[in-house]
Amino acid sequence: MRNVLLKTMMCAGLTGVLLAGCANDDMYDPNAAAKKYQESWEKNFGNIDPQQTWNTSVIHTADITIGYSGNYTLKIYTADPRNKQTQAYLLGQYDVVGDQSHSLQFDMPSSLTNVYVVLTDQDGGQIVKSTSVINKKVNVVFGTDDSTTRTIHNSGGVVYISTGYGVRYGEEDYQAPLHILPESVNNTKKVTENFLYKSIGKLFYIRPIYYKSNDWVTLGIYYYDENNKITEKAIWTRDEWSNGCWWSSNTDQLDRTAIDTDQLIAQGAAILWCQSIKVEIPYGMSFGFYIQNGNDKFYSEKKFNETYQGEKQCHVATFDYQGKRYLTFEDQTNVNGNSDMDLNDLVCLIGEDMYNSGTPDIIEKDDIEDTDMKYLIACEDLGGSDDFDFNDIVLAINHVSGRKTASVELLAAGGTLVTKIMYNNTTIFEEIHEAFGVPINTMVNTDGKNIPPVKGKDIEISDDFSITTHASKFKIIVTKAGNNSVEISVPDKNGVTPQAFVIADPNWKWPNERQNITEKYPNFTEWVNNHTKDDWYNAQWK
């Protein structure tokens, strides 16, 4: 019996040793967990592109030339910040000086192919330009970058208005802008409607191509001198002798009797003809337009117009469509809300049309509301062969290139381990669950408890900070069993197996709890294998 008991104890002890050895591989191989994670990664996603950065943001250069004098703020956006139907994110903001060229670095989503650049003067006027991204660069010129290309050299702020040339065109030409501003529809807030123009030092032409009004109106221009004094000039009058737009039959007989362009169409007219107006304004001068109907006069700057329900009314609009710039007018007062505000009672083409002419810049006068860009960091905290849901910690880095600070928001906590967030040596969140106000064993915003994002304090950043190159400095410190801590960050080397990566989309939806990322984003594997497949996350700008 004693021998049996001894043998039993020896077997049990040996089994315990064997089990302990199996349970503590890390004691003999500290890299076992990493190896296991890499093996599981390759099984799930395949081989990693050696050039993979694990970051869907990139650094680009904006080469900006400002041909106007003065001090300005320059901003770069993901989309048109004037369009209320789409969300534009602010990528970069800089203080710049006019009459100079600037080369500016900024972060942007790698899948974005077009940006909007806005130059704001000290009075709040904004010039907005759209530009393509080519070879990691954007090039924008405000005004003219070479004085030798300017064709207007008059001094003393003299503005010249003269008769231009006659133009023939067809029904499709004047119908084009009516696709944007249809008849008898309130078209306010669709296009730019509170504005001035700014001369680029080249003459331009105005062509009245459509009118829909029973009134004989006058088109005028007004401009600001160096002392901000306004001068007005009437430049075109629609009356019974010279209504500005005539419809001609095939025999070229001018018809001066029609009330409006639609009536001319109804009469079976074939060819539209109008007399253009030639305008010469000194370089850099700001100017606007007005339309006068009897004693009522309405301006392109709304501050001069009547008020209805507490809001200054729009009577002049401008917009670009199919490669042409239009200037349009509403000729009826809206003081009692009776006008249809369709903004097409008079429609003109404005801009270049002949050699040495050029289209003036538009100065927007309505404020643009900024929404700062956010770059998300998604993290796996265990680094084992678990679920690859990348929601254990999700952070948003709020950063606009050109600024001296950034901030971090907590978006989700799908892990249940003690976790600290740091940037360099600065602690941002001592413990993420505590910041959310929940126990450590509670998952947040991963199909469990829903809590609004929590913003941390602002952090000072270096002049060369970029989310593209500095993402690895955001440290996620996870405390595991036995009080052992591991530090996780976006890799600072290409082609390594990641536990965290950057998604350059503020609206990215991370996977649910225990949902493999490929279930939500099937193209993730393509990005793993080929770093150029950077649209895997269904970016809003693709």
Side-chain angles (χ1 to χ4, degrees):
M1 179 69 180
R2 182 178 178 183
N3 290 338
V4 172
L5 180 60
L6 181 59
K7 289 179 180 179
T8 301
M9 292 175 64
M10 290 176 65
C11 289
L14 180 60
T15 301
V17 171
L18 291 172
L19 289 174
C22 292
N24 293 282
D25 284 344
D26 291 354
M27 183 180 299
Y28 301 100
D29 185 357
N31 298 317
K35 290 178 179 178
K36 187 183 296 184
Y37 183 74
Q38 183 167 348
E39 290 171 0
S40 183
W41 177 281
E42 291 176 357
K43 181 179 179 181
N44 275 267
F45 310 119
N47 295 325
I48 297 172
D49 181 349
Q51 298 182 65
Q52 179 59 259
T53 64
W54 304 116
N55 196 326
T56 59
S57 71
V58 290
I59 300 175
H60 281 358
T61 300
D63 288 330
I64 309 295
T65 298
I66 304 171
Y68 304 123
S69 61
N71 296 317
Y72 299 88
T73 298
L74 187 128
K75 297 181 178 181
I76 304 173
Y77 296 86
T78 59
D80 189 344
R82 302 163 299 182
N83 189 342
K84 305 302 182 184
Q85 307 303 314
T86 59
Q87 178 63 68
Y89 291 97
L90 180 60
L91 298 171
Q93 178 176 334
Y94 315 86
D95 293 327
V96 292
V97 179
D99 291 326
Q100 293 184 21
S101 294
H102 303 267
S103 187
L104 308 168
Q105 303 290 311
F106 68 101
D107 285 314
M108 62 172 277
S110 56
S111 58
L112 189 62
T113 58
N114 194 81
V115 296
Y116 281 76
V117 182
V118 178
L119 187 70
T120 305
D121 62 29
Q122 292 180 307
D123 295 324
Q126 301 150 341
I127 302 176
V128 182
K129 292 184 179 287
S130 173
T131 183
S132 298
V133 180
I134 301 174
N135 297 326
K136 295 187 177 182
K137 282 192 175 186
V138 297
N139 291 275
V140 177
V141 175
F142 294 94
T144 52
D145 56 347
D146 184 353
S147 61
T148 61
T149 66
R150 302 171 192 166
T151 58
I152 299 173
H153 301 286
N154 59 60
S155 59
V158 179
V159 173
Y160 293 104
I161 308 295
S162 57
T163 301
Y165 53 94
V167 180
R168 294 187 185 190
Y169 51 98
E171 181 178 347
E172 68 279 2
D173 294 307
Y174 81 79
Q175 285 287 348
L178 301 184
H179 293 308
I180 305 298
L181 304 179
E183 179 63 36
S184 301
V185 174
N186 188 323
N187 291 316
T188 58
K189 302 188 186 305
K190 289 184 179 180
V191 295
T192 299
E193 56 182 43
N194 185 21
F195 67 98
L196 291 168
Y197 291 110
K198 198 174 189 72
S199 171
I200 64 170
K202 294 187 176 185
L203 63 89
F204 62 91
Y205 296 87
I206 300 171
R207 288 180 283 165
I209 61 171
Y210 178 82
Y211 57 93
K212 180 70 174 177
S213 175
N214 293 324
D215 299 307
W216 306 110
V217 297
T218 296
L219 170 63
I221 190 170
Y222 68 100
Y223 49 91
Y224 291 82
D225 65 15
E226 58 185 10
N227 296 316
N228 229 25
K229 180 183 176 182
I230 296 177
T231 300
E232 295 183 3
K233 282 187 178 183
I235 62 174
W236 175 89
T237 298
R238 179 187 165 225
D239 54 36
E240 58 185 334
W241 297 107
S242 176
N243 58 30
C245 295
W246 296 295
W247 201 257
S248 172
S249 69
N250 286 327
T251 58
D252 291 337
Q253 296 299 312
L254 297 179
D255 184 345
R256 304 169 183 256
T257 62
I259 297 300
D260 59 41
T261 308
D262 289 339
Q263 184 183 98
L264 292 168
I265 297 172
Q267 293 174 356
I271 302 170
L272 186 63
W273 184 92
C274 76
Q275 181 73 55
S276 65
I277 305 152
K278 181 179 177 181
V279 183
E280 299 176 78
I281 298 182
Y283 179 74
M285 180 176 281
S286 298
F287 62 96
F289 288 92
Y290 66 86
I291 188 169
Q292 184 167 358
N293 187 354
N295 293 323
D296 293 326
K297 190 181 288 186
F298 310 110
Y299 295 82
S300 56
E301 289 180 278
K302 291 196 294 187
K303 66 182 181 181
F304 297 126
N305 297 339
E306 81 280 17
T307 300
Y308 176 63
Q309 295 184 341
E311 184 177 351
K312 287 291 185 179
Q313 297 300 287
C314 160
H315 284 271
V316 188
T318 188
F319 60 95
D320 295 335
Y321 181 61
Q322 294 182 343
K324 297 177 180 179
R325 179 160 295 170
Y326 294 92
L327 174 65
T328 71
F329 299 86
E330 172 62 45
D331 68 1
Q332 299 294 318
T333 182
N334 198 41
V335 68
N336 296 315
N338 297 325
S339 173
D340 61 10
M341 301 302 286
D342 56 12
L343 301 176
N344 64 19
D345 297 334
L346 173 63
V347 177
C348 302
L349 276 168
I350 177 172
E352 58 187 289
D353 202 61
M354 297 182 69
Y355 180 70
N356 279 337
S357 62
T359 303
D361 283 333
I362 299 172
I363 306 176
E364 313 263 350
K365 303 298 284 189
D366 285 334
D367 292 337
I368 291 175
E369 295 183 7
D370 289 340
T371 301
D372 294 350
M373 182 60 181
K374 298 180 181 181
Y375 302 87
L376 275 57
I377 294 179
C379 175
E380 274 289 309
D381 62 357
L382 287 175
S385 56
D386 204 32
D387 47 23
F388 292 110
D389 54 14
F390 283 95
N391 66 18
D392 296 332
I393 303 99
V394 183
L395 308 174
I397 312 302
N398 303 323
H399 173 58
V400 174
S401 297
R403 292 184 184 168
K404 303 299 184 183
T405 61
S407 65
V408 179
E409 283 182 89
L410 281 176
L411 302 184
T416 55
L417 298 173
V418 174
T419 304
K420 177 191 288 190
I421 308 298
M422 300 185 69
Y423 175 73
N424 281 341
N425 297 319
T426 301
T427 298
I428 302 171
F429 296 104
E430 187 65 41
E431 207 292 310
I432 62 172
H433 301 86
E434 180 181 309
F436 274 126
V438 300
I440 291 174
N441 62 355
T442 301
M443 299 179 183
V444 180
N445 297 335
T446 61
D447 272 356
K449 193 174 184 65
N450 293 322
I451 297 177
V454 178
K455 185 177 179 180
K457 61 184 179 182
D458 288 349
I459 54 175
E460 293 186 4
I461 54 178
S462 60
D463 291 341
D464 65 344
F465 177 91
S466 163
I467 194 67
T468 305
T469 56
H470 287 64
S472 62
K473 296 183 180 296
F474 292 92
K475 308 296 184 182
I476 301 164
I477 301 170
V478 180
T479 301
K480 297 186 177 182
N483 230 19
N484 295 319
S485 295
V486 295
E487 185 179 284
I488 302 168
S489 63
V490 177
D492 58 3
K493 295 180 180 179
N494 293 352
V496 301
T497 306
Q499 281 184 245
F501 51 79
V502 175
I503 307 97
D505 186 350
N507 299 309
W508 184 66
K509 306 299 183 184
W510 50 88
N512 297 325
E513 185 56 35
R514 302 200 69 79
Q515 180 186 31
N516 189 294
I517 192 170
T518 56
E519 294 180 28
K520 194 172 187 71
Y521 298 102
N523 294 331
F524 178 78
T525 299
E526 289 187 12
W527 183 54
V528 171
N529 309 145
N530 184 345
H531 75 285
T532 65
K533 302 291 185 178
D534 52 4
D535 57 348
W536 62 270
Y537 57 100
N538 302 329
Q540 59 184 306
W541 21 77
K542 288 299 286 185

